[in-house]
Each structure stands twice: as structure tokens, then as C-alpha cells.
Amino acid sequence: MIRAARRLSVRRALAIHALSTLLVAIGVAAVSSALSAALAVDAARESAARVADTVAHAVAAPLAAIDVSSPGPEMRTQALGELQAFFDADVIERVKIWKVEGDEAVVLFSDEARVEGERRPFDAELAARLDAGEVVVLDVPDDWEHRFEIAHGGLVEAFIGFTDAAGSTMRLELYMPSVQPDMLRDMLAVTLPPVIIGPILLGAATLPLALRLARRLDERDAERRALLHTALAASDHERQRLAALLHDGVIQDLASAGLLLERIGSTAHAPDADRAALLTQVSGLLDADLAELRSLLSRLAPPQFEGSLVVALYDLAADLETSRTRIDVQIGSSTSADAEVETLIYRVARELVRNAVEHAAPASVTIAVDGDGDEVVCSVADDGRGFDPAAPAPDGHFGLRLVRQAITDSGGTIDIVSQAGDTAGTTVTVRLPRRMIASALAG
């Protein structure tokens, strides 16, 4: 089931990676297409202006030899004859010759006879540009005046002024095919393949990294779930152990103390030495039980870190020290760190000392804290039984795993020096950054 879950996680990562790559490719292609279209429009207008300038002068030259101001069948035949070569070469699609009459311009000639005689309002701005000798190129408007040209599609109109054979000022309007679609197609043919293939190649190149990241996150999540299950199981185990300890230790000792007190009461006439021996035995049992209860209280509700790290470590040593184990504290001259880091150091030290006292049976434990550049170093050393740091922790022993997880999550490192069966003890060294906000151990 775990393998199936991992396969599902990998497939999900692949799907997300593929979708991300596709979206990036589509986005880049859309932006590239929009930029290409804008560039194509500008380039097409520049090209149309150059072509229109050449064509307009070429078309206007023979028309200048015709008396366009006197329209009729003869003039129309003569004009069409001069323009036919341009139509046959698809250089122009439509021609209109305008004459300004007052505040209007009237069409005197067009290859589309239906528009001859139509009028439009006089455009002073256009007239000024034409009088200055400019060839004006515009997009064809979608209106009634250009109803016949719009049907052709993809045209631009070019205006040029000229003087006919009778000396009249005329306005020549030419409709020519736009090169914009061709330029846009050519631009997209050049730009689209790289911008589409680029993100796809990038996605393919980063696919192994995405898979490794997905597997690593999946393993990290599995470790956290396992740690949670272990912690829950250890909690049940600890409650059972405490119940057994109370039943087989403290309760039995208190029952024995009660029996001894009854014997003292029944030996009122016994020698004082015998009574004193019984009282000493009762006192020893009560002292041992009191120490055991204090130890249980510390494990069930350990003191919390508040204020000074130095004071808290000395209090911790006094609280966990027993008649069999001495606990020393060594504080260096440079231990300052962020409050979150000091809190984590205290909790790590508490967990390591408690593990040593409970599982290694040491005669002494030393807590040492000092600074090393941008790091704070905390070590806990004991002279008790050693263990194999690489071996899986026994059931119910999860404190060291919690310490390791908390240190790793906080950007620190942990080093364990020990050996199974060795009587030289164990040394655990933890290094944490002074200024990094750390996630603390629970409890």
C-alpha cells in the first residue's frame, strides 16, 4: 500500500510538471504571437509605405497626361488602358480619382463605375499632407464608402496628389494588397518553434529534478507519519510503564512501610535499637519513593524554558540529577542566540540528558554550551553504556529521533559518537545557527 501511495505521488508530480510545462509553453507562445503580430503590423505599414510611394508615383505619371477633369467614355477608356498593366500584375486592386469641390471631394473616375460621382467631406489634414508631396498610406475603413473594397479583404489605401493634363489638382487613391498577413506568417514561422520547443526542452531537462523532489517530499512525509505513529505508540508504552512502576515500586514500598509501622506499634516494649532500625528502614523506603515520584513528575510535566538559558540548564541539571548520576553544566563565554534557538537548545539538552539517565545508567552527565562563529554548539556527554547510532531505535525509544528531526528542520546538524556495549559512554554534539528561527521539539 505504501508503494502504491508513492507511485500515486510520483504520477501526480509528473502530471503537475507536464501541466506546468504546457501552460508555460502556451503562455510564451501567446506572448510571442502578440509581439510578432505587433511587429508584423509595424513592418507591414513600413513596407506598404515604401511600395505605395513607388507604385503611386508610377501610376500617377501616365494619368497626369489625361484630362481627368472632363470625365466621359473616352477619358475612362484611356485611363483604364494606362492602369491595366498594374491590375494584371496584381499591384493594385482598385483606383479612385478625386477632385476637391468646395468642402467636398467627388469621385471623377474609378475602375468600379458604381462609385463614380460619390462625394465625401473634405479632409483638410489629408489635403495638407498630400499638398506637401507625401504619399499617405492608411488602413481601409469598414464603412459605406469602402463597401466594395472591404469585400476584397487585406487591402491598404494610398493617397497621392497629382495634376492632370488640364492643370487641375487631383487626388489619386490606390487600393493595394497588404503584406501584413505574409509578414506575420513568416515571423511566426521563425519565432514560434523556438518559443514552444524551448519550454518543452526545459520541462524535459527539469523532469528528473522534479521526480527527485517529489520522491524526497514523499519520503519526508512518510518519515513524519512514521514518527507520529511511533510517538503515539511510545505514549501508550510510557503510560503502561509508569503504571507498572507505580504498582510494583511505590505502591509496594508504601505497603511495606505501612507494615513496618504496624510492627513498630506492636513492639512498644521492644529495645530502642530495634525500633530505631525499623524507623530507619521506613525512612529509607519513603525517601526512595519520594525521589521516584519527583522523577516521574519531571517526565510527565518537564519544566519549561523561560528567561536565561544558563539558569534553565542549571535548573534542569538539578531536577534530573539522582543519587546514582551526577549532572554537570559547562557554559562558554559566547552563547547568545535568538530566543527560539535558545529554547530549542534547552529542549534538546533536556531530552538528551533524560535519555542518558534512563537508558545508559551513567555515573555522570555533562552539558556543555558554547559559541563557534555564527553557530551555538551544545554537547551532552555521559560515561554510561553506549549504543550503535546507526541501529534502529528500540520500541518506545523515540526521543533521539525527535531531537534529530528538530535539529534538521532548524538548519542545524547533530553528531553522535558511541559504540554498542562500550563503557566509555556517549557524546552527542548539536550545532545550530545563532540567528535562525528554529522549530522546537514538542513538549
Side-chain angles (χ1 to χ4, degrees), residues 304-316:
Q304 297 299 311
F305 169 69
E306 294 180 359
S308 169
L309 174 62
V310 176
V311 174
L313 291 177
Y314 277 107
D315 290 344
L316 175 67

Side-chain angles (χ1 to χ4, degrees), residues 365-417:
V365 177
T366 301
I367 307 171
V369 180
D370 202 354
D372 183 12
D374 294 333
E375 295 180 323
V376 178
V377 183
C378 173
S379 65
V380 175
D382 67 75
D383 58 2
R385 293 187 300 271
F387 67 98
D388 182 4
D395 292 341
H397 295 197
F398 66 102
L400 195 56
R401 293 181 60 186
L402 290 175
V403 169
R404 192 188 303 274
Q405 188 72 53
I407 295 301
T408 302
D409 289 346
S410 302
T413 60
I414 180 171
D415 180 62
I416 303 173
V417 178

Side-chain angles (χ1 to χ4, degrees), residues 180-199:
Q180 178 178 334
D182 295 334
M183 298 191 73
L184 178 59
R185 182 176 60 254
D186 294 341
M187 281 190 174
L188 291 180
V190 173
T191 59
L192 271 187
V195 300
I196 293 178
I197 295 175

Side-chain angles (χ1 to χ4, degrees), residues 73-366:
E74 183 180 352
M75 183 275 289
R76 179 177 178 79
T77 300
Q78 187 179 1
L80 288 175
E82 296 291 346
L83 297 172
Q84 191 59 48
F86 295 99
F87 285 118
D88 293 341
D90 293 328
V91 174
I92 58 176
E93 294 286 338
R94 176 67 33 84
V95 174
K96 294 178 184 178
I97 299 177
W98 300 77
K99 182 180 180 182
V100 176
E101 295 181 353
D103 59 354
E104 291 184 322
V106 59
V107 179
L108 297 182
F109 166 81
S110 174
D111 60 298
E112 174 55 69
R114 289 175 291 180
V115 302
E116 291 179 351
E118 289 188 357
R119 295 176 177 270
R120 62 180 291 182
F122 174 72
D123 188 335
E125 180 182 355
L126 176 60
R129 295 174 66 182
L130 295 176
D131 291 340
E134 180 182 353
V135 175
V136 181
V137 179
L138 302 172
D139 293 328
V140 178
D142 185 4
D143 56 19
W144 174 255
E145 178 186 328
H146 299 86
R147 60 194 181 280
F148 298 115
E149 291 76 37
I150 286 297
H152 288 272
L155 299 178
V156 294
E157 57 181 358
F159 293 87
I160 186 173
F162 74 98
T163 302
D164 70 354
S168 301
T169 300
M170 299 293 171
R171 310 300 189 196
L172 174 63
E173 182 180 8
L174 302 176
Y175 293 84
M176 301 179 298
S178 173
V179 296
Q180 178 178 334
D182 295 334
M183 298 191 73
L184 178 59
R185 182 176 60 254
D186 294 341
M187 281 190 174
L188 291 180
V190 173
T191 59
L192 271 187
V195 300
I196 293 178
I197 295 175
I200 294 176
L201 291 178
L202 180 62
T206 56
L207 180 59
L209 178 62
L211 288 176
R212 285 198 299 272
L213 181 60
R215 291 192 180 100
R216 186 174 300 173
L217 292 176
D218 187 64
E219 291 171 358
R220 192 69 176 270
D221 186 58
E223 289 177 0
R224 291 184 179 277
R225 289 196 301 269
L227 189 60
L228 176 60
H229 291 314
T230 302
L232 293 174
S235 177
D236 292 337
H237 176 79
E238 184 68 9
R239 284 195 294 269
Q240 295 172 2
R241 190 183 71 83
L242 291 176
L245 184 61
L246 289 173
H247 180 272
D248 299 334
V250 176
I251 293 177
Q252 295 293 336
D253 287 347
L254 290 177
S256 298
L259 292 176
L260 289 173
L261 290 174
E262 289 180 3
R263 286 184 60 189
I264 293 173
S266 64
T267 57
H269 303 292
D272 290 341
D274 294 339
R275 298 179 64 188
L278 291 173
L279 288 173
T280 299
Q281 188 176 356
V282 171
S283 177
L285 289 173
L286 293 178
D287 287 342
D289 289 341
L290 181 61
E292 187 66 34
L293 288 175
R294 284 176 176 170
S295 177
L296 290 176
L297 179 62
S298 176
R299 286 194 291 269
L300 291 174
Q304 297 299 311
F305 169 69
E306 294 180 359
S308 169
L309 174 62
V310 176
V311 174
L313 291 177
Y314 277 107
D315 290 344
L316 175 67
D319 186 64
L320 296 181
E321 191 172 64
T322 68
S323 59
R324 297 187 301 270
T325 303
R326 186 186 74 259
I327 301 177
D328 298 320
V329 179
Q330 298 176 358
I331 304 296
S333 59
S334 177
T335 61
S336 61
D338 286 347
E340 293 83 358
V341 177
E342 291 187 348
T343 300
L344 182 56
I345 291 173
Y346 169 75
R347 291 178 173 175
V348 166
R350 185 184 69 197
E351 190 64 35
L352 293 176
V353 172
R354 191 162 57 188
N355 278 351
V357 172
E358 290 185 2
H359 305 303
S364 67
V365 177
T366 301

Side-chain angles (χ1 to χ4, degrees), residues 44-58:
R45 285 178 176 171
E46 293 178 1
S47 176
R50 291 192 300 269
V51 172
D53 185 87
T54 302
V55 172
H57 284 91

